[in-house]
Amino acid sequence: MHRIVNVVGVGGSSRPGSTAEKALRIVLDAAAKRGASVQLIAGPALSLPLYDPRQGSTTPQARQLLSAIAGADALVLASPAYHGGISGLVKNALDYVEELREDTRPYFSERAVGCVAVANGWQGAVATLAALRDVTHALRGWPTPLGAAINTSTTRFSPAGDCKDDHVQAQLEEVAAQVVEFATQRALAATPTASLL
């Protein structure tokens, strides 16, 4: 019997229900269907003061974000493309992860990270996905083999958050599958052999 893995999703925009948040919710829903415990940190929860390393995590929201990331077995990051890269809101939240540098598992160490980027065009979506993967590497995380770049000029989401493109839906579900599978394998590898009997 394996333990339930905890997957934390971070992203979206300051607008609740943004396309990036809808895509992130689809990944987390798919992860939950695979048996993971999931937590979403999006929208207003990401409205943090500009990160200042001299002051650290001084707000309750920042401490909640860091606690969730530190306790995660895996992560999913989602960002809209802002001028060819990660949005300032998401990047600022990721800058706070510097506060986990002395944690037992520093930064994103030992965790799979699924990446999702959303833009009104392929160039922005692909560039932002690459930037999310670069940040994941810099924070010592392991990007999943598949990331999702979503072009909103060809893919629509319903007001309720349903994806109207079967191919994109399948990609988001595969990101979830890879995140959960990796986190589960990691948890099993860390379990003492005697407790498996």
Side-chain angles (χ1 to χ4, degrees), residues 67-138:
S67 175
I69 290 172
D73 295 301
L75 299 155
V76 181
L77 306 178
S79 178
Y82 280 21
H83 304 124
I86 302 170
S87 75
L89 187 76
V90 173
K91 180 61 169 70
N92 187 52
L94 295 174
D95 287 344
Y96 272 87
V97 178
E98 178 61 24
E99 295 300 302
L100 298 178
R101 66 187 170 277
E102 312 233 349
D103 200 59
T104 306
R105 295 179 302 160
Y107 306 111
F108 291 168
S109 292
E110 303 174 15
R111 281 160 278 200
V113 181
C115 298
V116 178
V118 175
N120 186 22
W122 287 117
Q123 183 172 339
V126 171
T128 302
L129 178 60
L132 285 170
R133 293 172 70 85
D134 285 346
V135 169
T136 296
H137 278 129

Side-chain angles (χ1 to χ4, degrees), residues 32-94:
K33 288 176 183 167
R34 291 180 168 274
S37 168
V38 299
Q39 180 179 357
L40 174 68
I41 301 174
L46 293 178
S47 294
L48 303 167
L50 188 63
Y51 177 66
D52 183 342
R54 297 167 299 175
Q55 294 182 3
S57 53
T58 58
T59 68
Q61 282 176 285
R63 288 192 293 275
Q64 179 184 5
L65 170 72
L66 293 173
S67 175
I69 290 172
D73 295 301
L75 299 155
V76 181
L77 306 178
S79 178
Y82 280 21
H83 304 124
I86 302 170
S87 75
L89 187 76
V90 173
K91 180 61 169 70
N92 187 52
L94 295 174

